[in-house]
Amino acid sequence: MSKLNATIAKGTGGRNGDGCLVVKSVAAGEMQARTVSSYPVTAGTTYQTFADAAGVVPERIGIRWLSASSTEISITWSLTTLAASSGWHRVGVAGMAPAGATQAQVLLSSTPAAGLVNQYWENVYLGLPIRTTGNLFAFGTESAEIDASGWTAEVNASVTRQVPVASWAVDNYLAGGHTIAVTATGAGNAAAVSTDRPTVTPGTDYLAYAYLNPPTLLADVWIELRYYDVNGNQISATRSTLVSPSPGSGWYRQRASAIAPSNAATCGIAAGVNGASAGQVLRLEGAVVAVATVLQAGTTLPYADGSFEQGVAGWTRPSGVAVISRSTPWGQVAFDGSYSLSVTSATATASVVRSAKFAAPGGVGTSYRAQILATLGAGSWTVNVKVRWYDAANADLGTTGGTSYSFPGASWYAMSTDASVPATATQGAIELTLTAGATNSAMYVDIAALWLAVPLTAVQVVDESASITLTLRELTVGQSISVYREGEDGIRTLVRGPLGLLDRTRITSDLMIIEDYEAPLGVPVRYRIELWPDGATTPGTRTSDTVTITAGDPNLAWLKDPGNPQRNIRLMISKPPDWQRPIEQSLYRVKGRRNAVILSDTRGGLEGDLTLWTRSDDERKALHWLLDSGNVLLWQAVPGMGVDDMYVSAAQATEARVGGTAQEQWRAWTLPLTQTDMPVTTGLSGSAGRTWQDVLAEFDTWGDLLTTYATWEDVLLDRRLG
């Protein structure tokens, strides 16, 4: 609604749907609009707002903090954008709700020089800060929406915040409006460094990245991942230099990775410009340090050697005339990230290109799989992939494997080989024999990986939770997957995943671990996996081994929550239900007829009272926890008890004492059950990649968790109060 000097209307041409908000000035001067509703907030908690804007004057956005009586306490305003733009661009701000604040509104502001000037707004958000899951940095360092305190000048620079005109993807909610601006105070090298120093684990491969906005196309701009010891002394720095594509005025995510040294305790990021002119500005957005992306499950190559984001890492050319380098410029040729390994040959000859050597445990009798993704740049090539082996003393043991490929087209192609491990081998390296078929040939390599070859599909019964773990390896990211549980009778049932049943679900990782808590007890089952490339009319398939969950004690049965397996419980049954099957009927007595006319609906499913015992206080509390949500449950009894696995809804539950002393822990329960259909859209709950590091990055003390989460389960699922 209008708050100051404005009228509002619905416009067209929005980004998140066709509509957008049009705020029109009544007269010259600042105009403001605000949300009609006020949204509940908690004092002392940080909140974020952002929106996409467009117009002929710069704008700003704010959070208006209100008391319980809707009295304005204060407003947290963003800086005003550096320029006006008729294209959609992001504005945003974040701040802590002040003392006494119980509600908040979003304010939209701009200051035209005349009346009847339109400003357009779209994609408005107000809520808790949106941050990168797994980021070691706190929100205040990843984003500049609060302030610039997460960064400090290191050499020849000042550090401030700016709101440049930056257009992000409509669903890139990690990008805000404010950016860190590193301004060279004089001619020469200029740099800034993060003040946040999160802890790291020695031996772990970490990846740092941020969006860089260079001052000019030819500016020598870089980002560094740095490690520090327990005394705060810098012990290493890994630099990754941006090579901007034309025109060089955009935002480019630059990555640097390195394994934490044995004496590393903390880490940080630095960014800068070499040879800057006085007043030149390097801007940063979205700074992240996280455990490095695993390019292929089980690969022995660190990220730097597999993705080439900061150079060729440990790759060499032992023989031949080929020249290897990092591809250039940013984003020109890459499958992962923004760069790849460029290979060029001036002559039509063979060259050997080899990775560094890495530990390859397993020993004789095992085999490893080496794989690269490659694409043709110019000319023609024959590629032979093999593995070269070394013993613990680094003695060369020769190569095994060896599979040759050519390029059928200009796409990216996976090229792999399986290589047996020789006796005494403890290390391996990927070796490529690249034969150019013409002068001045060029090709590119990305996502290089070497891993122990293990079954593509594996199943394991977990009797303790009456579940089956299905592991799927070497999946193709971007394809879709369907997973069925198949009984001996051939009947197939879709298996549940994080977003519901796994039916044409998009594959986002080459490794999937699926926990099936709804598999039947004591019945042999196997899994059928269907893999659907885009546009395919028939899938590729896999089939697992057949396994059986141990049925166990026939006096016990499982009650399971399909979406929350952490609540599943096994209980002793007192008496199974005496089933009823209700039906809706209308009876009509017709005059002159002996028999009535009866109109019936379809007979309903089973209904009846299940009586059971809890034998301890822990079981009693666990059953309350299971019933609290009111979700549909799965009741599983041992085969042969006359009860099939059944999805049920439990009505009013009765908990009764069984006699004896007051300290008697046994309870007799009555659960009125109604048969229901299997939940289809319910997904398996989980932490979705969150770790304790995310908790440490977001909260200063354990006491802060008490005011944010009601239970430890809520911490796991990031389910916050309010």
Side-chain angles (χ1 to χ4, degrees):
M1 65 179 292
S2 172
K3 183 176 182 292
L4 175 67
N5 186 36
T7 60
I8 63 172
K10 179 183 177 181
T12 59
R15 310 184 73 201
N16 196 347
D18 182 64
C20 65
L21 176 67
V22 181
V23 182
K24 185 188 294 287
S25 62
V26 175
E30 183 179 16
M31 59 178 177
Q32 292 182 6
R34 70 169 177 84
T35 53
V36 174
S37 299
S38 300
Y39 303 95
V41 297
T42 302
T45 299
T46 298
Y47 294 88
Q48 177 186 13
T49 187
F50 60 77
D52 291 329
V56 296
V57 294
E59 59 279 295
R60 61 178 181 163
I61 191 171
I63 305 175
R64 185 187 188 209
W65 308 106
L66 305 175
S67 67
S69 61
S70 297
T71 301
E72 181 180 305
I73 298 174
S74 62
I75 299 174
T76 299
W77 283 110
S78 71
L79 299 177
T80 303
T81 48
L82 293 176
S85 175
S86 59
W88 289 110
H89 53 278
R90 186 67 50 84
V91 291
V93 73
M96 183 180 292
T102 62
Q103 307 168 78
Q105 298 171 339
V106 178
L107 292 183
L108 311 175
S109 171
S110 58
T111 307
L116 306 180
V117 175
N118 290 337
Q119 199 76 13
Y120 302 91
W121 298 87
E122 162 72 313
N123 210 25
V124 182
Y125 170 84
L126 172 65
L128 295 171
I130 300 176
R131 59 183 297 275
T132 301
T133 300
N135 190 2
L136 275 59
F137 285 146
F139 175 74
T141 304
E142 176 177 349
S143 169
E145 296 296 75
I146 300 174
D147 54 34
S149 61
W151 295 83
T152 188
E154 184 176 54
V155 60
N156 187 37
S158 64
V159 175
T160 58
R161 292 194 303 163
Q162 294 180 353
V163 185
V165 175
S167 181
W168 302 100
V170 64
D171 57 352
N172 183 3
Y173 300 129
L174 295 172
H178 292 86
T179 63
I180 294 296
V182 182
T183 305
T185 55
N189 298 343
V193 63
S194 63
T195 58
D196 197 353
R197 298 280 176 83
T199 58
V200 295
T201 301
T204 300
D205 194 13
Y206 289 93
L207 172 66
Y209 59 83
Y211 284 103
L212 304 181
N213 177 225
T216 65
L217 172 62
L218 299 179
D220 184 5
V221 173
W222 50 267
I223 185 173
E224 277 185 356
L225 171 59
R226 297 179 177 179
Y227 290 114
Y228 304 86
D229 64 17
V230 292
N231 298 315
N233 300 314
Q234 181 180 317
I235 55 177
S236 71
T238 302
R239 178 172 294 190
S240 179
T241 300
L242 170 68
V243 181
S244 303
S246 182
S249 57
W251 290 86
Y252 311 104
R253 178 174 280 180
Q254 191 69 19
R255 299 166 175 85
S257 67
I259 296 174
S262 59
N263 58 337
T266 61
C267 71
I269 289 181
V273 186
N274 291 337
S277 301
Q280 281 192 331
V281 179
L282 166 66
R283 299 186 182 95
L284 294 85
E285 165 67 347
V288 172
V289 176
V291 174
T293 305
V294 178
L295 298 173
Q296 176 74 41
T299 182
T300 62
L301 273 64
Y303 185 83
D305 292 78
S307 189
F308 311 104
E309 292 302 296
Q310 61 218 29
V312 301
W315 287 77
T316 60
R317 187 217 60 205
S319 66
V321 301
V323 176
I324 64 171
S325 63
R326 187 183 68 166
S327 64
T328 188
W330 180 98
Q332 182 189 46
V333 184
F335 193 91
D336 172 78
S338 306
Y339 303 91
S340 60
L341 177 68
S342 168
V343 183
T344 59
S345 179
T347 62
T349 56
S351 299
V352 173
V353 175
R354 187 184 302 150
S355 75
K357 52 183 177 290
F358 299 98
V364 66
T366 62
S367 66
Y368 272 72
R369 185 162 296 138
Q371 179 175 284
I372 61 169
L373 296 187
T375 187
L376 181 63
S380 63
W381 293 86
T382 299
V383 179
N384 183 267
V385 184
K386 59 177 73 73
V387 178
R388 184 166 293 276
W389 300 100
Y390 304 85
D391 64 15
N394 295 321
D396 191 333
L397 303 179
T399 63
T400 60
T403 307
S404 295
Y405 299 87
S406 59
F407 290 97
S411 299
W412 285 94
Y413 298 95
M415 301 178 179
S416 64
T417 192
D418 285 354
S420 58
V421 180
T424 73
T426 61
Q427 303 171 87
I430 301 175
E431 183 166 296
L432 308 176
T433 301
L434 308 176
T435 305
T439 58
N440 299 319
S441 291
M443 62 174 286
Y444 301 91
V445 174
D446 209 350
I447 310 189
L450 176 66
W451 69 95
L452 183 66
V454 290
L456 301 183
T457 303
V459 283
Q460 180 181 4
V461 171
V462 184
D463 284 325
E464 294 77 10
S465 58
S467 65
I468 298 173
T469 300
L470 172 66
T471 302
L472 304 176
R473 301 181 179 91
E474 299 186 33
L475 300 172
T476 301
V477 174
Q479 290 187 355
S480 297
I481 187 171
S482 298
V483 181
Y484 296 90
R485 183 192 322 112
E486 190 176 86
E488 289 186 314
D489 55 7
I491 295 177
R492 296 174 183 169
T493 304
L494 284 166
V495 176
R496 195 172 307 280
L499 301 178
L501 300 182
L502 291 168
D503 185 15
R504 299 283 190 102
T505 301
R506 205 72 168 172
I507 297 173
T508 59
S509 171
D510 67 282
L511 174 68
M512 286 184 69
I513 299 176
I514 301 164
E515 296 176 337
D516 183 11
Y517 292 90
E518 297 164 77
L521 309 177
V523 177
V525 296
R526 64 179 183 177
Y527 293 88
R528 173 184 168 87
I529 298 93
E530 296 182 350
L531 302 171
W532 295 86
D534 283 346
T537 56
T538 56
T541 61
R542 298 184 189 177
T543 303
S544 77
D545 293 335
T546 298
V547 292
T548 304
I549 298 175
T550 303
D553 189 337
N555 296 307
L556 304 178
W558 282 91
L559 281 175
K560 299 179 176 181
D561 185 333
N564 295 281
Q566 69 276 10
R567 299 190 179 198
N568 297 350
I569 185 173
R570 194 181 188 199
L571 299 167
M572 180 172 286
I573 303 301
S574 172
K575 182 179 181 298
D578 294 323
W579 294 117
Q580 295 182 335
R581 292 192 64 194
I583 188 170
E584 295 291 335
Q585 292 182 325
S586 297
L587 184 148
Y588 299 92
R589 298 284 184 185
V590 181
K591 185 176 181 180
R593 288 182 57 121
R594 174 181 176 180
N595 295 329
V597 175
I598 300 174
L599 302 179
S600 298
D601 194 5
T602 302
R603 189 172 299 277
L606 301 176
E607 296 182 6
D609 293 346
L610 173 66
T611 57
L612 51 83
W613 287 301
T614 54
R615 297 163 291 174
S616 66
D617 286 341
D618 287 341
E619 278 193 359
R620 177 173 57 84
K621 293 175 183 177
L623 181 54
H624 274 297
W625 189 34
L626 176 71
L627 297 173
D628 281 346
S629 67
N631 293 338
V632 169
L633 305 177
L634 173 62
W635 177 32
Q636 289 184 313
V638 171
M641 304 302 289
V643 179
D644 294 330
D645 289 0
M646 185 183 305
Y647 293 92
V648 296
S649 178
Q652 178 174 306
T654 301
E655 175 192 345
R657 291 181 178 269
V658 296
T661 66
Q663 290 80 19
E664 174 59 62
Q665 295 188 21
W666 281 57
R667 297 290 188 272
W669 293 74
T670 302
L671 303 181
L673 303 183
T674 301
Q675 187 178 21
T676 68
D677 291 331
M678 175 187 186
V680 174
T681 58
T682 300
L684 278 174
S685 61
S687 60
R690 278 173 57 84
T691 67
W692 285 114
Q693 179 57 53
D694 292 289
V695 176
L696 294 173
E698 294 181 57
F699 300 94
D700 294 329
T701 67
W702 290 111
D704 295 334
L705 293 177
L706 298 177
T707 59
T708 306
Y709 301 102
T711 67
W712 284 113
E713 182 188 59
D714 293 332
V715 175
L716 171 71
L717 304 179
D718 196 23
R719 225 167 28 200
R720 307 189 183 206
L721 294 170

